[in-house]
Structure formats: structure tokens, C-alpha cells
Amino acid sequence: MIVRTSDTKWRLFYSVFLCLLIVVFGSCQQQDNSNKNTHRSLPVISISNHSQLFLDDHLIAKMSNLKRELQRPEKHPANPVIVQDAPWEQRYMQMYGTVLYDEETNHFRAWYMASESQELKPETYICYAESLDGIHWIKPPVGSIALPGHTRHNAVLAGAHGLCVMKDTRESDPAKRYKGVGGEVLAFSPDGIHWTTETFQSAEQNDTSSSAVWWRGDYLAYIRNQEPWKQSLDEFVRRFSVDQSISKRTIREVAFTASPDFLHWTPKETIFAADSKDGHPWTQPYGMAVTPYGDQLIALVWFIHLDRVKGNTKIGDQDVQLAVSRDGRRWKRVADRAVFLESTANTWDRERVYPSTTMIVKDDRIYIYYSGSGARHGEGWGNMGIGLATLPVDRFLALRPEKTGVEGVLETRPLYFSGDDLLVNAEAPEDGLQVELLDSNGTVIPGFDRRRSHLEKHGLSRYCVTWGNGGKCKIIENDRWRETNRHPFLY
């Protein structure tokens, strides 16, 4: 990938859609022997025709005069889009659940957690809502469980703390088309309304929002794990000036478990924890919401930043970071742990935010639903609601030149892929972005040098790259691209 610009307003968003029967593309600088040797020493990476997001360095061989710039989602002006207005939601209503877009019904569908009273049983339940546009929601009275004092309601499942719902189109049993995991429960449903449950043997203590995905032949679940302080008690007291009672408490971590059939799961194990750079143990991961996105998994990880007060394990602020994984087990932070989603002062979500279990891509936008509250964690529930934040498709990160008047260069590792067109997600002036293709030795392929490259605008965010005056894109319109190359989100 060649980037050549002196304009600091130029941005290459940290994503490229690749569809060329070429093994590599790269640098706009003069090629030398060291560059060729670099190419020869790097293994070829096979990639799909989905968007390739450079959230990590997996596909990057070289990068110069470019800085990563996190793109934050925009909160919708109609927020909160789902409000706490039913009597069975009066204790709390929160997005400890899932929003998905159902292409069969052309509806957004939401499963969220609510509670009327700590004394009533069930204490918590999963409620259902739906929307045609993702902004205006109704709570149809489809309640399929007994709710004391209410004959018409939208509660569909008791317990199932922090239920993650999947619509599994691979499932041959209609009764299990919808799957859910939350708390100590595995749930199955033909329609998302009527549920049966099994015990989730790997859960143990799992009192946060769970997340489950289908990834490369297995179901993966991300749940709570709580570990004791692993170092000496004296060191804990010395470093953090707390009383010894906190050592008997536990440290929040993210655990992982996998299953081939959604019934039999591996023992859970910690795969994500805070460290000294985060401010451990005062900062701890509270939950991880994972979404398949092309060739990688993207996680919204929300953290609790505890007040540094003796014995405090629950009062603090919350915000959300991004992480990325290629295998579901090893995770890397994005943009040096920059905050992706946080509270907004003097608004309904001024004290805490945390996301739903998955993101949605629809009409070239990413939809992120989240809980917000006017009360801090550990200081009551406050007035709660569910909000919406959105991003243009693929635009989690951008690359911007660091120095004015100096070209920025991104060169990929050797890549193997197939197709006819190369789409780039960018905001660039005319001739502000150039691309050339290299062979496996790092030599420019004749006819595909950077000075022959042209950009043809497609939709609001993409350019099709061609070379020479006779080059043409086979992608005629953005709608056709979207129809034939859907993002592989949760079913």
C-alpha cells in the first residue's frame, strides 16, 4: 500500500478491502536489496475477501510517517433509545444482553436484562424489544414466563444473567436456532421468545455480561473469572495502601471456554487481565463483548477504574477499549489502550457506559448499543437507559501522516488472495493516495507502479484502485458490493 501526501487532513482509515490475484502490494520508495530480502524472509499470508482491518500489525511489513488515530463512535441524539419505563424494570434495566439485526424479519431485535425488586423472584429476567430502524423501539407483550403481579409483559427468560443471544443459521434443529449463554445458563429457542435451558457447567461465578461467537469451527464464550491476588499480601498492602480484607476478595478477569456443539464446554481459563500499565488491581476488566469481523475478532472491553480507597472493590468509573485477536485466545489492545467509548458529562450516561454483546453492520454503518446510567458503579443503579453509538463501516482506526510535506508509507507483508478489484477505505484528495504492487521479491510488478494508480470513488467511504488509463473497476456500484460481500457478523 502506497501513501503519498503532504496534507495533514488526509486520512487512510485502518482498513483495506483486498480482491486481487497478486501476492503483495507495498512501498512507494525505491526498492533495494534489503527490501527484497525482507520480502523473501516473510511468509505469505492467505486472506479472505472481507475487509482487512489493520488493527494490529499482522499484515504490516513496514510503516513510516504514519500515526494511528482512534475513531470514536458517535452517540445518537435520540439517546437513550430504549428507556426504563415498565414497572418490572423499576429497579434497573441494562444492556446486559444482545442487539442483532434479523434479515428474515427486517427488524432489530434486543434482549436486555431487567429487575423489579431484589426481594421478588425471579430477581432478574431477560426482556425482549424490537425496532424497524434501530432507534424507535417497542416492547411487545410476548412474555413467556410468569412474572409476579404482571400478566402482560415482555420478559422471556428468568435468570440467565447477562445473556448473549446468537441466531445460528447453521443449526439443523429448529428448536435450537437461537442460542444463548448467560450466568450459569445455556439457553435454546426456536424464535428468541420461548426458551429452554441447560446448566452451563463451565460458568462457575459468571455475574457479568457474557459473549459468544462461532469462530473457525467452534463456539467461543467470554465470561467472568475472578482470581485471588496472586502476589504476596505484604506487597499488596504496601503498593496499594489497602487493608488485608481485600486480599480475601477477588480480582476480575476475562475467561474463555470453547465448545463444538454449544453443550459441552472446556474448563474456563483466564485469557485477558489488567496489568500495571492499566493500574492493576485498581483497574480491572469487567467484561468483553466479541464480534467476528472478517479475518479477525474485535472486542469491546470495558474496564472498571476503582476509587483508590481502603477495601474498595466496587465503586468506580467505567469505560471501553478495543482489542483484537486472530485466534480468539490471544488479544492485543488497539491504539495503545485509548478509550473508545466513555461517559458524557451532564447527560443521561454521565457516570457509566458498557456495551451489548456484539456489534452490528448495516447500510455501511456499525451499530453499537450500550448501557448508560446517572450513577457510578457501586453507588446504586440510578436512572438507566440503552443508547446507540455508530461508526462508518470499518473505521475503527485511521492512519494520518505525522509530518507535513513528508509522504507516509504502508507496506503489507506478502499476501495471497483472489478477486478482481481493490477497494480502499480512505478520505483522500485527488492524487493523495497511491498504490503499487510488488512481487514476492519486493520488485514492482510492471504496469502496477504507484504513478499509474488512480482512485475511483465508490459510496461514501471507499475508493476502487486502478492502474493506467484503461483500468476499470468491475464493481459498478456500492450497493452491489454490499449485497455480495456481507460482513460475517453473528448470523
Side-chain angles (χ1 to χ4, degrees):
M1 170 66 64
I2 312 314
V3 177
R4 183 183 180 86
T5 181
S6 59
D7 186 350
T8 57
K9 294 182 179 180
W10 175 92
R11 289 187 293 176
L12 169 66
F13 284 88
Y14 218 22
S15 63
V16 177
F17 186 92
L18 300 169
C19 323
L20 288 171
L21 192 56
I22 306 293
V23 293
V24 68
F25 64 99
S27 171
C28 62
Q29 299 173 329
Q30 293 295 317
Q31 307 303 317
D32 55 27
N33 291 332
S34 62
N35 185 60
K36 295 180 182 180
N37 291 337
T38 299
H39 277 273
R40 287 174 177 169
S41 64
L42 294 174
V44 176
I45 300 174
S46 181
I47 60 175
S48 73
N49 279 351
H50 293 292
S51 297
Q52 300 297 318
L53 305 186
F54 299 158
L55 300 178
D56 57 9
D57 292 333
H58 179 69
L59 301 180
I60 298 174
K62 295 180 181 179
M63 191 167 69
S64 62
N65 194 39
L66 293 173
K67 62 182 178 181
R68 293 173 167 91
E69 185 179 80
L70 187 70
Q71 305 297 293
R72 285 180 153 188
E74 179 183 0
K75 294 181 178 180
H76 199 281
N79 282 342
V81 295
I82 303 179
V83 298
Q84 188 177 4
D85 58 4
W88 51 89
E89 300 167 348
Q90 65 183 4
R91 182 183 174 213
Y92 67 68
M93 180 203 72
Q94 57 181 326
M95 191 67 263
Y96 258 33
T98 296
V99 181
L100 59 81
Y101 182 74
D102 191 331
E103 294 185 355
E104 289 184 325
T105 65
N106 294 320
H107 277 75
F108 290 83
R109 307 184 70 188
W111 293 263
Y112 62 93
M113 195 166 80
S115 177
E116 182 172 3
S117 169
Q118 194 170 6
E119 287 71 37
L120 290 176
K121 302 302 176 187
E123 178 186 339
T124 64
Y125 24 84
I126 303 301
C127 294
Y128 174 78
E130 60 185 32
S131 170
L132 283 171
D133 60 6
I135 300 168
H136 303 91
W137 291 81
I138 62 171
K139 302 173 182 178
V142 295
S144 53
I145 64 171
L147 208 59
H150 309 287
T151 56
R152 289 171 57 82
H153 55 80
N154 65 330
V156 296
L157 184 60
H161 192 101
L163 185 74
C164 176
V165 176
M166 307 165 60
K167 185 177 181 182
D168 191 352
T169 56
R170 300 173 183 82
E171 177 60 62
S172 59
D173 184 352
K176 296 182 177 180
R177 180 58 50 86
Y178 289 82
K179 295 178 172 66
V181 54
E184 300 176 359
V185 168
L186 300 172
F188 302 91
S189 172
D191 54 11
I193 305 297
H194 303 87
W195 295 86
T196 59
T197 61
E198 302 276 351
T199 300
F200 185 19
Q201 298 289 352
S202 296
E204 299 175 13
Q205 183 176 350
N206 182 29
D207 56 349
T208 190
S209 182
S210 299
S211 185
V213 298
W214 171 263
W215 186 249
R216 297 179 179 174
D218 282 311
Y219 297 99
L220 312 181
Y222 299 88
I223 59 179
R224 168 68 57 79
N225 201 24
Q226 303 211 164
E227 295 282 350
W229 174 248
K230 297 181 176 68
Q231 300 180 37
S232 72
L233 178 58
D234 290 342
E235 174 67 7
F236 189 92
V237 174
R238 183 186 70 79
R239 287 179 59 193
F240 303 106
S241 301
V242 298
D243 59 21
Q244 294 189 10
S245 66
I246 199 172
S247 69
K248 300 177 182 178
R249 308 294 180 92
T250 52
I251 305 299
R252 300 173 182 90
E253 298 175 342
V254 178
F256 167 90
T257 176
S259 170
D261 57 9
F262 214 83
L263 286 173
H264 305 91
W265 295 82
T266 59
K268 72 177 184 179
E269 57 180 316
T270 293
I271 51 89
F272 190 97
D275 58 23
S276 59
K277 188 175 180 179
D278 294 307
H280 178 79
W282 296 108
T283 294
Q284 302 172 16
Y286 207 88
M288 177 181 278
V290 178
T291 301
Y293 205 115
D295 292 352
Q296 57 200 324
L297 296 168
I298 299 177
L300 303 178
V301 187
W302 72 100
F303 290 83
I304 184 167
H305 306 277
L306 297 167
D307 292 350
R308 301 193 176 204
V309 177
K310 272 191 175 183
N312 176 37
T313 60
K314 65 179 182 179
I315 299 175
D317 300 317
Q318 291 180 300
D319 57 32
V320 181
Q321 297 180 17
L322 286 179
V324 63
S325 176
R326 300 280 171 170
D327 61 7
R329 293 160 175 82
R330 294 169 294 178
W331 291 87
K332 294 182 178 180
R333 310 285 185 93
V334 173
D336 197 26
R337 312 187 191 207
V339 174
F340 180 67
L341 181 67
E342 63 182 347
S343 302
T344 302
N346 303 316
T347 64
W348 68 281
D349 65 355
R350 59 190 175 275
E351 295 296 350
R352 57 174 147 164
V353 296
Y354 41 95
S356 67
T357 62
T358 186
M359 296 179 286
I360 301 167
V361 166
K362 184 179 184 298
D363 298 333
D364 273 354
R365 291 204 72 81
I366 301 167
Y367 288 66
I368 301 168
Y369 290 89
Y370 69 96
S371 285
S373 175
R376 301 176 75 211
H377 185 277
E379 295 183 338
W381 298 104
N383 294 322
M384 305 191 75
I386 297 172
L388 169 63
T390 65
L391 277 172
V393 66
D394 298 345
R395 294 193 172 188
F396 296 98
L397 276 179
L399 294 179
R400 185 191 293 276
E402 288 187 292
K403 298 179 181 179
T404 302
V406 180
E407 67 182 14
V409 179
L410 185 150
E411 179 179 337
T412 71
R413 295 162 66 95
L415 305 176
Y416 179 82
F417 45 92
S418 62
D420 299 304
D421 294 307
L422 168 64
L423 292 181
V424 194
N425 196 329
E427 289 179 3
E430 185 176 358
D431 298 327
L433 183 147
Q434 296 177 321
V435 181
E436 66 186 13
L437 308 180
L438 311 179
D439 63 21
S440 58
N441 294 317
T443 303
V444 177
I445 297 172
F448 292 94
D449 62 275
R450 70 182 193 188
R451 292 175 180 81
R452 292 174 57 85
S453 67
H454 301 280
L455 302 182
E456 180 181 334
K457 191 69 180 288
H458 281 273
L460 297 176
S461 61
R462 301 182 185 90
Y463 293 90
C464 188
V465 183
T466 60
W467 285 266
N469 296 329
K472 290 186 179 297
C473 283
K474 291 188 177 181
I475 298 174
I476 304 302
E477 56 185 11
N478 199 41
D479 285 342
R480 175 182 167 189
W481 176 87
R482 187 187 304 118
E483 181 65 26
T484 57
N485 296 278
R486 298 181 185 276
H487 283 262
F489 276 83
L490 290 183
Y491 321 120

